[in-house]
Amino acid sequence: MRFASMRGAAGIVAVAGLIIVAGTLAWTQEPVAPLAHFHHVHLNSTDPKAAIDFYTAKFLAEKAKFAGVADAVLAADRWLLFTKVNTAPKAEVTSAIWHIGWGAENMQETYQKQVASGTTFQTEITDISDQGDGKGGNGRFFFAYVDGPDHALIELNTAANHSFGHLHLLSSDPIAASEWYVKEFGLTRRGGAPSRELRFRKGRQTAPAVSLMMDNVNVIIYPVGNAKAAFPEAWKGREELESTKDHTIDHVGFRVENLDAALARLRADGVRVTEEPKSILGGKVKYAFIEGPDRIRIEVIEDRTAKD
């Protein structure tokens, strides 16, 4: 509840959250605190230093120390964190995390600059303006996939700015997965209720799909059929998505205010905790791991060093 001043001329009186407006009673409510914030993407790398150099040279991002101790990348106030591994991590698109992405105001110009700087692309610049409206390529929307360190897939696409912009996921049921993220971590849905209509573009399934937002990060969920068509060799003899653990993009992290309370709520909802809570830096950072939809690995972190 909140207190407000008396404004007699307007016929409004508020006492301890009770508002009297022209003889009508109503209660005000404090804004509800978000369930979580988008905190980080965590990658496995055989050479974290080289990976950090790459991300900060190629994209709008800066070198920083996570919690003041770990070399990392800060991109649009969100972290890219790295774990050093001795053998190459899995790069095949066979888990729920497809890729991460940055925007570009002028995609054609950005692409040419990237090529000139020696960037390797898994997919060259492509006009997919027809995907949403069916009017054919008209230069409104371009994308390309960068072949990143340890073969991380990184999208560059037409956007209003050059910032770290999105996380693209895959799911056997994108709508159900989106409902889970909305309920358990408070992501918000873009647009109206998603349709279950099947849609395809050049033989690759593009719908049902859902677009969510959290802290200016767009979380997009596509049907797994897209990956099966795009990467048939990786999907030979495979039907279901595997855990993101040990992949180049290993997991994502959501920050909560109170880890114990968050885990209690998640457990009550039937969410599986895969790694029990641990703490570092004298308790300033606490974390645990859960399994989300389609076996995605999610770190739930209470980070007292963070700023919103």
Side-chain angles (χ1 to χ4, degrees), residues 25-42:
L25 300 182
W27 290 94
T28 62
Q29 294 182 343
E30 290 288 356
V32 177
L35 288 175
H37 291 280
F38 195 102
H39 188 266
H40 70 266
V41 175
H42 205 123

Side-chain angles (χ1 to χ4, degrees), residues 6-60:
M6 181 183 294
R7 293 186 289 159
I12 301 174
V13 178
V15 179
L18 176 63
I19 295 182
I20 305 173
V21 183
T24 301
L25 300 182
W27 290 94
T28 62
Q29 294 182 343
E30 290 288 356
V32 177
L35 288 175
H37 291 280
F38 195 102
H39 188 266
H40 70 266
V41 175
H42 205 123
L43 300 101
N44 291 312
S45 178
T46 55
D47 190 344
K49 181 182 182 303
I52 290 169
D53 288 343
F54 179 92
Y55 283 100
T56 53
K58 299 293 186 179
F59 309 111
L60 184 59

Side-chain angles (χ1 to χ4, degrees), residues 37-40 65-68 74 77 79 81 254-259 280-281 283-287 299-308:
H37 291 280
F38 195 102
H39 188 266
H40 70 266
K65 292 277 190 181
F66 170 62
L74 195 57
D77 295 324
W79 292 98
L81 304 179
F254 295 133
R255 180 171 64 84
V256 296
E257 287 300 312
N258 186 302
L259 179 61
I280 58 175
L281 301 176
K284 289 182 179 179
V285 176
K286 301 177 182 178
Y287 62 95
E299 183 174 357
V300 187
I301 184 169
E302 179 184 318
D303 179 7
R304 295 299 174 189
T305 71
K307 296 179 181 179
D308 289 337

